[in-house]
């Protein structure tokens, strides 16, 4: 074999040897790579499960957990009732704010007419509130705007007086029955006969309409009770006093009078100032100032008698509690509702004061200002009775 041939054979031999070595090395590499490619999958599985175990701590609050923003529409501020109402709404809302459930109340509150209250409601909708508590100034003038709010998904609750608007809830006492309580007392006190006068609130206002309907129903059952005159005291103490003074001058032998709210204070002040030979018997209001005035009147005329049925501002903060529970997704127990359209949370009266428990009423005023109205605000636990358990 020539030298050239020997070199060629040697070269081929070397190449075969190298190829064998590469093949030998390649097989183990391939065999060990299968676990290597599976290893990340095995170690990544727990990694993908980690977020699932951490999710409750990091996920955003679920729907119905808040914080919620509640708007207030109040068209009448010239009243101690409304002042107490707003203060109590803020106080109760702070309880929920401290728990992170609500934000600051958005309050639209001013003396205004129907058009002005519609603007209040539009302002609240523009601020994207989750619920609206409205103390309506008209029986039907707000209906379209309230329906607009409902259509936007806003929970709407009328407080202190009932409206007949689909899907608008009402929270308050039964204003008609409230008025009938004192009217019935007056009719019985007079023995079912006599001449009386009436001093009403704002004509056309929902609460006043319901109250006067109740009064009319009662006196229809007493044909010997004659209503000589009726006038409006505009839910104002001074105006009520002037109206009553005019009545006393026109009807010096008046047997009785029916009125409501702060006007009762003015009416009794007019009687005390005139001090007629025969005092008319009259109804009052569940307010500390009235109870103290009543007590003073008895020192002038022990035969004077009265009744004070509480129309308490606490129904509004109670309504706020109901709104919060609704926003949290709790289902209303409709079997617990009443009213004309079955959407009313009818709140029990806070107090009915007569001569038999006048001392108890005065005790409720200990430490309270004269303007304080006898009150009760349901706790969050107490409002649960209106929800499905």
């Amino acid at each position: 074999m020539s030298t050239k041939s020997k070199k060629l054979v040697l070269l081929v031999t070397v190449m075969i040897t190298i190829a064998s070595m590469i093949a030998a090395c390649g097989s183990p590499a391939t065999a060990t790579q299968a676990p290597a490619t599976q290893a990340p999958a095995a170690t990544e599985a727990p990694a993908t499960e980690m977020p699932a175990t951490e999710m409750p701590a990091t996920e955003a609050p679920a729907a119905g957990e808040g914080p919620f923003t509640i708007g207030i529409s109040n068209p009448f501020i010239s009243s101690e009732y409304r002042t107490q109402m707003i203060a109590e709404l803020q106080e109760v809302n702070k309880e929920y704010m401290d728990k992170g459930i609500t934000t600051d109340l958005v309050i639209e509150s001013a003396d205004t007419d129907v058009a002005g209250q519609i603007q209040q409601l539009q302002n609240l909708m523009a601020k994207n509130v989750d619920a609206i508590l409205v103390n309506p100034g008209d029986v039907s003038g707000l209906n379209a705007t309230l329906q607009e709010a409902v259509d936007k998904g806003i929970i709407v609750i009328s407080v202190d007086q009932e409206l007949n608007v689909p899907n608008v809830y009402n929270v308050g006492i039964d204003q008609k029955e409230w008025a009938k309580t004192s009217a019935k007392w007056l009719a019985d006190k007079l023995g079912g006969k006599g001449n009386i006068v009436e001093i009403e609130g704002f004509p056309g206002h929902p609460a006043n309409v319901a109250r006067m309907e109740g009064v009319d129903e009662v006196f229809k059952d007493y044909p010997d009770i004659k209503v000589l005159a009726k006038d409006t005291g505009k839910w104002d103490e001074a105006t009520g006093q002037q109206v009553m003074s005019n009545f006393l001058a026109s009807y010096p032998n008046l047997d009785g009078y029916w009125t409501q709210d702060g006007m009762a204070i003015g009416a009794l002040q007019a009687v005390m100032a005139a001090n007629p030979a025969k005092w008319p018997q009259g109804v009052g209001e569940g307010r500390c100032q009235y109870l103290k005035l009543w007590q003073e009147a008895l020192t002038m005329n022990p035969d004077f008698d009265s009744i004070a049925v509480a129309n308490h501002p606490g129904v509004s903060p109670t309504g706020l509690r109901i709104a919060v529970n609704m926003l949290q997704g709790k289902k209303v127990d409709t079997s617990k509702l009443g009213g004309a359209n079955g959407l009313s949370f009818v709140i029990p009266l806070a107090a009915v004061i007569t001569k038999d428990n006048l001392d108890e009423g005065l005790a409720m005023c200990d430490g309270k200002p004269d303007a304080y109205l006898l009150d009760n605000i349901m706790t969050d636990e107490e409002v649960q009775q209106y929800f499905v358990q």
Side-chain angles (χ1 to χ4, degrees):
M1 182 181 292
S2 63
T3 302
K4 186 174 180 180
S5 298
K6 290 180 179 180
K7 289 181 178 180
L8 181 59
V9 171
L10 180 60
L11 179 60
V12 170
T13 302
V14 170
M15 291 178 67
I16 292 172
T17 302
I18 292 172
S20 299
M21 293 175 63
I22 292 173
C25 292
S27 290
T30 303
T32 56
Q33 280 176 359
T37 56
Q38 293 171 1
T43 56
E44 284 173 6
T48 57
E49 292 172 3
M50 289 286 289
T53 59
E54 295 175 354
M55 192 173 295
T58 59
E59 68 180 354
E65 292 184 359
F68 308 108
T69 300
I70 298 176
I72 309 296
S73 173
N74 174 42
F76 181 51
I77 62 174
S78 303
S79 161
E80 290 85 353
Y81 179 101
R82 303 301 177 96
T83 301
Q84 189 169 325
M85 176 188 81
I86 294 294
E88 290 176 347
L89 282 167
Q90 292 172 319
E91 181 180 346
V92 169
N93 186 64
K94 187 177 185 303
E95 293 178 23
Y96 293 113
M97 286 180 63
D98 290 344
K99 298 176 182 177
I101 298 174
T102 63
T103 62
D104 274 320
L105 293 175
V106 181
I107 300 176
E108 293 278 340
S109 181
D111 282 326
T112 188
D113 56 9
V114 174
Q117 189 166 25
I118 288 174
Q119 187 59 57
Q120 287 183 351
L121 295 169
Q122 294 288 356
N123 292 343
L124 294 175
M125 284 187 277
K127 293 177 182 177
N128 297 316
V129 299
D130 299 295
I132 293 175
L133 299 185
V134 54
N135 198 322
D138 190 82
V139 173
S140 58
L142 307 178
N143 289 9
T145 308
L146 295 176
Q147 188 62 56
E148 180 184 348
V150 170
D151 292 343
K152 290 179 180 291
I154 299 171
I155 291 174
V156 179
I157 295 179
S158 172
V159 293
D160 187 32
Q161 44 220 310
E162 183 179 7
L163 294 180
N164 193 4
V165 183
N167 301 311
V168 171
Y169 289 89
N170 304 281
V171 176
I173 64 171
D174 186 323
Q175 296 287 354
K176 188 174 183 178
E177 288 301 318
W178 175 87
K180 290 175 73 171
T181 300
S182 56
K184 181 71 165 57
W185 174 89
L186 180 59
D188 291 341
K189 182 66 183 179
L190 298 179
K193 59 182 180 180
N195 297 320
I196 70 170
V197 292
E198 298 174 356
I199 307 176
E200 66 174 331
F202 280 103
H205 193 283
N208 186 70
V209 170
R211 292 173 181 180
M212 300 315 295
E213 287 177 353
V215 171
D216 290 345
E217 284 186 14
V218 168
F219 292 146
K220 280 180 182 177
D221 292 334
Y222 296 85
D224 292 329
I225 290 181
K226 308 298 183 185
V227 179
L228 302 180
K230 179 168 68 173
D231 200 355
T232 174
K234 301 178 180 178
W235 280 323
D236 177 69
E237 178 184 321
T239 306
Q241 183 174 1
Q242 184 58 59
V243 171
M244 190 64 197
S245 295
N246 295 341
F247 282 155
L248 289 170
S250 300
Y251 309 105
N253 295 315
L254 199 61
D255 295 303
Y257 62 90
W258 187 92
T259 187
Q260 49 177 290
D261 294 357
M263 299 178 297
I265 297 170
L268 182 51
Q269 287 172 333
V271 172
M272 294 169 69
N275 195 17
K278 183 182 75 172
W279 280 34
Q281 306 290 358
V283 308
E285 181 195 23
R287 186 187 303 205
C288 294
Q289 183 180 354
Y290 183 80
L291 299 185
K292 293 175 182 178
L293 191 65
W294 179 0
Q295 187 180 47
E296 181 184 345
L298 290 174
T299 65
M300 296 178 62
N301 185 345
D303 293 330
F304 175 73
D305 203 357
S306 189
I307 185 173
V309 186
N311 173 35
H312 57 293
V315 298
S316 291
T318 295
L320 188 148
R321 292 196 189 281
I322 290 171
V324 168
N325 278 269
M326 292 175 69
L327 287 168
Q328 290 176 319
K330 294 182 181 177
K331 185 177 179 181
V332 174
D333 183 350
T334 56
S335 70
K336 301 292 183 65
L337 303 185
N341 55 4
L343 292 175
S344 292
F345 298 82
V346 182
I347 308 301
L349 297 174
V352 177
I353 306 299
T354 65
K355 64 180 180 181
D356 297 328
N357 64 342
L358 177 56
D359 289 341
E360 294 177 20
L362 289 166
M364 294 173 69
C365 293
D366 287 346
K368 302 292 186 183
D370 284 352
Y372 180 78
L373 292 99
L374 304 184
D375 209 354
N376 180 56
I377 302 171
M378 284 188 172
T379 65
D380 196 72
E381 291 74 18
E382 288 172 335
V383 301
Q384 299 310 313
Q385 65 184 283
Y386 298 111
F387 295 93
V388 176
Q389 303 303 310

